[in-house]
Amino acid sequence: MPERRMPGRGAPIGVFDSGLGGLTAVRELRRLLPGEDIVYFGDTGRVPYGTRGADIIIRYAKQDIAFLLEQNVKYIVAACGTVSSTLPSAYTDALPVPYTGVVQSAARAAARATKTGRVGVIGTPATIQSGSYHTALSALLPAARITATACPLFVPLVENGYFDAGNVVTRLVARDYLREIKAAGVDTLILGCTHYPLVAPILGELMGPEVTLIDPGRETARDMRAALADAGLLRDGAHGEARYFVSDSTESFVRLSDWFLGEYAGGPVTRISVDGYPVE
Ligand code: DGL
C-alpha cells in the first residue's frame, strides 16, 4: 500500500457495495450524520457478489476500495454484507484509513436485543457460508444459538420491485426460507444483506411482533458517529453532500436508487470502470 497523507475531517466517507443495496446504509448515514460528505461506489457492473467464491469477492472488494482511496476518503464503510463477511481483517487492518464492515455492529445489536440467546441470520450464500455472524456473535455471547439460512432469491426479487408488503411471490419465498429459523424459536433476526431491509415488513410479519429485526446498515451508521469521533474525524453540521459512482449505466441507478435511498438526494452519478484498479 503506497504511503499517503491521512485525509482530514473535511474529507468524505467512502461507502461501497456490490451494487445499489448499500444505499440502505447511505440512507441511514445521511440521516444520522448529515454533516458528512459521502462518496458511494456501487459495483453495478459486477453485482451480485453473494453467489461468487471468496477469491473473486476479495478481488472485487480490493478494487472497490482502491477506487475509494483515490477519492481521498477518510473512512471506508463496506455496506455489503458479503464483502464484510469475506474480506480478511489482515487486509482491512492495513488500509491507510479506518475501515468498517457491517457484521460487528449488527452482531453487537443482536447480542443486546436477544433475551433467549436464539438468533437467526439470513444473508447471501457467501455470507452464510463464511460463518461471519456465527464468529462475531459467539465472541459476544458464547451461549448464543444461531440458525443461519442463505436467501439468494431475495436480491433479484428486490431488484425487480417485488418488495411491497403484500407481494405474494416474495411472501411465499420468505415463508420457505424462514422455516428453519422460525422452528428454532429465535427472538432476534439479523437481516444480513443490504437488500433485506426492503423486505423487512414481510419478514417481520412472518416472524411475528416478538422477534426483533436487525438492519446491519442502520446499526453500522449508528456506530459511525462514535467511530468517527474516536478517530478525530467527525464532521458536524447539516450540509453534507453525496456523490455516487457506479460501474454500469447511470440511468438504472437513478431509476432504482429511490427504493434503497428512500429519496434520491440528487447527488451526481458517474459511471467508472473499476476493472483496472489494483488488487494488492
Ligand atoms: N450487497 C450484497 C450483500 O449485502 C447483496 C447483493 C450481492 O449478492 O452482491 O451481501
Side-chain angles (χ1 to χ4, degrees), residues 16-22 24 40 43 46-52 57 79-85 102 123-127 152 155-156 159 191-196:
F16 75 102
D17 177 49
S18 56
L20 300 179
T24 54
Y40 180 84
D43 197 2
R46 303 192 295 193
V47 69
Y49 287 8
T51 48
R52 297 183 193 274
I57 296 166
C80 180
T82 300
V83 169
S84 307
S85 297
V102 291
T124 64
T127 293
V155 168
E159 293 199 346
L191 313 184
C193 168
T194 48
H195 289 56
Y196 301 176

Side-chain angles (χ1 to χ4, degrees), residues 22-173:
L23 294 173
T24 54
V26 171
R27 180 184 61 201
E28 298 302 323
L29 282 168
R30 285 178 66 73
R31 195 168 62 81
L32 297 172
L33 297 169
E36 299 288 351
D37 289 339
I38 292 174
V39 173
Y40 180 84
F41 175 60
D43 197 2
T44 50
R46 303 192 295 193
V47 69
Y49 287 8
T51 48
R52 297 183 193 274
D55 54 336
I56 293 183
I57 296 166
I58 291 170
R59 178 152 55 88
Y60 286 177
K62 286 181 174 179
Q63 291 180 316
D64 303 344
I65 288 172
F67 167 73
L68 288 179
L69 289 174
E70 195 181 78
Q71 306 308 305
N72 205 34
V73 297
K74 64 183 176 186
Y75 209 108
I76 291 179
V77 180
C80 180
T82 300
V83 169
S84 307
S85 297
T86 310
L87 207 51
S89 57
Y91 172 78
T92 56
D93 289 350
L95 287 170
V97 298
Y99 162 97
T100 186
V102 291
V103 171
Q104 291 301 331
S105 293
R108 277 196 295 272
R112 281 194 304 268
T114 184
K115 293 186 176 62
T116 61
R118 292 175 193 224
V119 178
V121 182
I122 54 176
T124 64
T127 293
I128 299 307
Q129 216 177 337
S130 75
S132 59
Y133 278 104
H134 201 285
T135 307
L137 263 168
S138 305
L140 295 164
L141 209 64
R145 287 172 60 185
I146 301 149
T147 309
T149 302
C151 305
L153 287 175
F154 283 157
V155 168
L157 283 169
V158 166
E159 293 199 346
N160 284 284
Y162 280 49
F163 54 80
D164 53 288
N167 195 288
V168 288
V169 177
T170 304
R171 287 179 77 85
L172 199 67
V173 171

